């Protein structure tokens, strides 16, 4: 179809449109599957001392926190740092898993996939972060 006259053939035009629709339908299905996987993503992590365990969703929202009995023997500021550390670890893991889900769904060469993954990573890890 290198010349402009190719679209004058109704059969070729219909075949082109059918191919285009098939590609669009595939992208839509892949995007929906990616969205579903991201919506179900939960990441659990604990701080380095095992004082706090957190679970976050794909956007970094805290959905569960558990503390070990060991926190009763440490100062409240140690518990606070443990909680923040556990959240940081969970967010880092979530960023990695999110990037993998997006790559699996949209392909690692997709410009759109990289843009979505970068945006979600910035949301999870904070500005100025890239594993690029």
């Amino acid at each position: 179809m290198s010349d402009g006259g190719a679209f004058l053939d109704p059969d070729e035009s219909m075949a082109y449109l059918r191919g285009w629709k098939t590609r669009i339908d595939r992208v839509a299905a892949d995007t929906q599957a990616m969205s579903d996987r991201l919506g179900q993503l939960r990441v659990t992590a604990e701080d380095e001392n095992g004082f706090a365990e957190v679970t976050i969703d794909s956007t970094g929202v805290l959905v569960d926190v558990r503390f070990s009995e060991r926190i009763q023997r440490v100062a409240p500021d140690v518990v606070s740092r443990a909680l923040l550390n556990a959240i940081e670890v969970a967010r880092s893991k979530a960023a990695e898993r999110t990037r993998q889900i997006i790559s699996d769904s949209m392909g690692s060469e997709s410009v759109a996939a990289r843009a979505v993954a970068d945006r979600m990573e910035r949301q999870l890890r904070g500005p100025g972060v890239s594993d690029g």
Side-chain angles (χ1 to χ4, degrees):
M1 264 193 250
S2 59
D3 64 6
F7 279 109
L8 296 178
D9 180 343
D11 292 333
E12 285 188 40
S13 296
M14 289 303 294
Y16 175 82
L17 290 174
R18 279 191 297 274
W20 179 81
K21 183 180 181 323
T22 298
R23 288 188 301 277
I24 295 300
D25 289 346
R26 185 177 59 243
V27 168
D30 290 348
T31 301
Q32 183 62 52
M34 177 188 71
S35 178
D36 292 346
R37 286 180 67 193
L38 289 172
Q40 296 169 1
L41 179 65
R42 297 290 181 269
V43 175
T44 300
E46 65 180 19
D47 72 288
E48 59 195 24
N49 296 310
F51 293 134
E53 178 184 88
V54 299
T55 301
I56 63 170
D57 67 11
S58 65
T59 64
V61 172
L62 191 61
V63 295
D64 191 28
V65 177
R66 296 181 187 269
F67 295 104
S68 73
E69 290 182 15
R70 296 175 52 217
I71 68 166
Q72 297 173 20
R73 297 184 294 259
V74 296
D77 65 314
V78 173
V79 175
S80 295
R81 285 193 307 273
L83 177 61
L84 292 175
N85 177 255
I87 292 170
E88 182 180 339
V89 171
R91 285 179 167 227
S92 180
K93 287 180 179 182
E96 292 168 17
R97 293 206 21 219
T98 296
R99 185 171 288 281
Q100 187 61 51
I101 289 169
I102 293 168
S103 177
D104 290 349
S105 300
M106 299 176 76
S108 60
E109 299 302 315
S110 166
V111 173
R114 284 194 303 270
V116 170
D118 289 348
R119 182 181 57 80
M120 294 196 73
E121 185 165 357
R122 280 192 305 275
Q123 178 180 337
L124 287 165
R125 295 189 190 193
V129 176
S130 174
D131 67 355

